[in-house]
Amino acid sequence: MNQINEFKLALYKQIHQICFHGKGGYDWHTIYNMPINIRKFIFNEIKQFYEEENKANSNNKQTQSSNPNTKVIHPGSNPHSQPTKFNTPPKKGHSQKINIPIKVQYK
C-alpha cells in the first residue's frame, strides 16, 4: 500500500511540474492521460531546459561579479546624468513665492 501512495505522489508531482513549468502549455488531464514515455520525455526536456537556464544565469552572475568595473544601470536611468537636487521646503513661518508660467492660447 505504501508503494502505491509513493508512486501516486511521484506521478502527481511530475504532472504538476510539467503543468507549472510548461507555463500554461499543458493542462492536468492531458498530461495525466498521456502515454508514460511521452510524459517522461516532456518532463525531462523541461527539466533540462531549466537546468541549462540556471547554469547560464549562474555563469553570467560570476562573470559580472569578477569584473569590478561593472556598473548596474537600471531601466529608465541615464548613467551620465548628475544626481537631481531638490529644493527643501520652506521652514514653518516663511513663505516662498512660486512663479509658474502660464501659457494662454486664444482661438
Side-chain angles (χ1 to χ4, degrees), residues 62-105:
Q62 288 175 355
T63 304
Q64 286 180 352
S65 64
S66 66
N67 185 356
N69 296 327
T70 302
K71 189 174 186 179
V72 176
I73 300 173
H74 298 284
S77 67
N78 183 349
H80 305 293
S81 67
Q82 296 297 320
T84 305
K85 293 184 180 181
F86 295 99
N87 293 334
T88 57
K91 293 182 179 180
K92 193 173 186 178
H94 294 86
S95 63
Q96 184 177 8
K97 188 175 181 182
I98 300 173
N99 291 326
I100 301 173
I102 299 174
K103 207 177 214 184
V104 179
Q105 209 173 21

Side-chain angles (χ1 to χ4, degrees), residues 1-15 28 32:
M1 183 75 171
N2 194 18
Q3 272 187 326
I4 294 172
N5 289 335
E6 288 177 19
F7 174 76
K8 283 183 179 181
L9 182 62
L11 172 67
Y12 296 153
K13 283 184 177 185
Q14 187 181 53
I15 292 171
W28 179 271
Y32 185 82

Side-chain angles (χ1 to χ4, degrees), residues 41-54:
F41 172 78
I42 291 171
F43 176 80
N44 289 328
E45 288 293 310
I46 291 173
K47 182 179 175 186
Q48 181 182 356
F49 171 80
Y50 282 107
E51 286 173 351
E52 290 174 2
E53 185 179 58
N54 288 339

